[in-house]
């Protein structure tokens, strides 16, 4: 079971919202008994503040269990409704950082593929547009930095920034692998023997659902194999 201290994850809290840094390996929600996750840990945190009262916690967006990143939760139904509206209208800005050992042909570009999810294996793959169940997936990427690292097969690590246009299952991991630049540590879509993908949702900005203030958060990835 993944062990973590929820207090260390909280970046901001007021009466309406919680902003957290989800660690790599921790699920947002978990159906498995005894598995620590963000939802149950945050509800326990809130319950300690108001004993005897069932706390409300609205999950606004998610990250894959192996992926770390910044997440926003709602503490009231009103805040949840407004934050969900912002997500649906794409006014929430989210940016990701990934590490790969392969340099793509173009240092920046737009990827557009069709993905299909396999529920049996909990994986997605690139398919043709006419494949039943295929969904369009698009993102923009740009190379940020390249450094030497003899631990990789290519002797280097490349830091990539990604901005999603769509939010498909395992989208970044699948599309970067399809490009020929699988994420370091991603054993499901790359050549890694184990570990967790070096992928982080490092930036978010949104409008506070009650105050109307612009909220911006940037986090430093903790799961990357080397510091940039």
């Amino acid at each position: 079971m993944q062990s973590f201290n929820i207090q260390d994850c909280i970046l901001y809290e007021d009466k309406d919202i919680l902003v957290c840094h989800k660690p790599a390996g921790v699920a947002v929600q978990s159906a498995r008994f005894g598995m620590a996750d963000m939802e149950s840990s945050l509800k326990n945190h809130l319950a300690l503040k108001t004993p005897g009262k069932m706390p409300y916690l609205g999950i606004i967006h998610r990250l894959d269990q192996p992926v770390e990143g910044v997440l926003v939760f709602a503490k009231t139904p009103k805040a949840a409704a407004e934050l969900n509206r912002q997500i649906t209208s794409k006014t929430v800005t989210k940016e990701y950082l990934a590490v790969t050992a392969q340099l793509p042909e173009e240092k920046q570009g737009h990827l557009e593929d069709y993905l299909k999810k396999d529920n049996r294996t909990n994986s997605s793959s690139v398919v043709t547009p006419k494949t039943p169940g295929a969904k369009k997936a698009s993102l923009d990427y740009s190379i940020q930095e390249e450094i030497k690292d003899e631990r990789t097969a290519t002797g280097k690590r490349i830091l990539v920034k990604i901005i999603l246009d769509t939010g498909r299952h395992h989208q970044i991991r699948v599309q970067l692998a399809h490009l020929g630049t699988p994420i370091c540590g991603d054993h499901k879509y790359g050549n890694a023997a184990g570990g967790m993908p070096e992928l982080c949702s490092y930036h978010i900005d949104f409008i506070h659902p009650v105050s109307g203030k612009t909220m911006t958060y940037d986090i430093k990835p903790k799961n990357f194999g080397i510091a940039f």
Side-chain angles (χ1 to χ4, degrees):
M1 183 177 75
Q2 178 77 12
S3 177
F4 68 103
N5 185 342
I6 194 62
Q7 301 292 337
D8 295 336
C9 300
I10 298 173
L11 304 174
Y12 175 82
E13 181 180 4
D14 63 21
K15 62 183 180 64
D16 303 297
I17 65 171
L18 277 157
V19 182
C20 299
H21 181 165
K22 184 189 88 65
V26 175
V28 176
Q29 280 180 307
S30 178
R32 293 173 58 186
F33 179 75
M35 176 68 72
D37 59 63
M38 295 299 292
E39 181 187 38
S40 59
S41 298
L42 285 171
K43 282 186 173 180
N44 289 338
H45 161 75
L46 295 174
L48 290 174
K49 295 186 173 186
T50 54
K53 182 180 178 181
M54 180 67 71
Y56 175 89
L57 186 73
I59 297 175
I60 307 304
H61 56 127
R62 301 169 187 271
L63 288 170
D64 297 341
Q65 183 170 337
V67 178
E68 70 173 308
V70 60
L71 289 172
V72 182
F73 297 86
K75 292 173 64 175
T76 68
K78 179 181 177 181
E82 169 55 22
L83 289 169
N84 278 318
R85 185 197 66 78
Q86 292 182 42
I87 291 286
T88 302
S89 62
K90 296 186 178 181
T91 55
V92 176
T93 300
K94 292 186 286 182
E95 296 179 0
Y96 296 76
L97 290 173
V99 179
T100 177
Q102 304 286 339
L103 191 66
E105 291 185 9
E106 303 292 336
K107 290 198 171 183
Q108 62 181 34
H110 178 76
L111 302 182
E112 193 168 289
D113 298 294
Y114 283 82
L115 307 185
K116 182 176 181 179
K117 181 181 178 181
D118 185 334
N119 290 318
R120 183 179 56 83
T121 60
N122 189 35
S123 63
S124 291
S125 58
V126 175
V127 296
T128 64
K130 294 183 179 180
T131 301
K135 294 183 178 180
K136 184 178 178 180
S138 58
L139 60 80
D140 293 292
Y141 75 89
S142 59
I143 303 303
Q144 302 296 296
E145 193 173 350
E146 180 180 341
I147 61 176
K148 293 182 179 180
D149 187 351
E150 297 304 323
R151 294 174 296 176
T152 69
T154 61
K156 56 189 176 184
R157 284 178 185 260
I158 297 98
L159 184 67
V160 188
K161 183 170 81 170
I162 300 110
I163 299 175
L164 285 177
D165 182 50
T166 55
R168 305 305 181 197
H169 178 256
H170 293 180
Q171 179 179 336
I172 296 174
R173 299 163 65 187
V174 176
Q175 287 194 277
L176 288 188
H178 185 66
L179 183 66
T181 59
I183 296 173
C184 291
D186 193 348
H187 65 278
K188 179 166 282 192
Y189 299 105
N191 297 318
M196 297 183 192
E198 295 183 34
L199 174 62
C200 176
S201 178
Y202 82 100
H203 168 86
I204 191 168
D205 67 53
F206 60 97
I207 303 301
H208 193 285
V210 176
S211 71
K213 178 184 176 183
T214 298
M215 311 290 285
T216 301
Y217 292 90
D218 292 274
I219 61 173
K220 187 178 179 67
K222 297 179 180 180
N223 189 47
F224 286 6
I226 195 169
F228 282 86

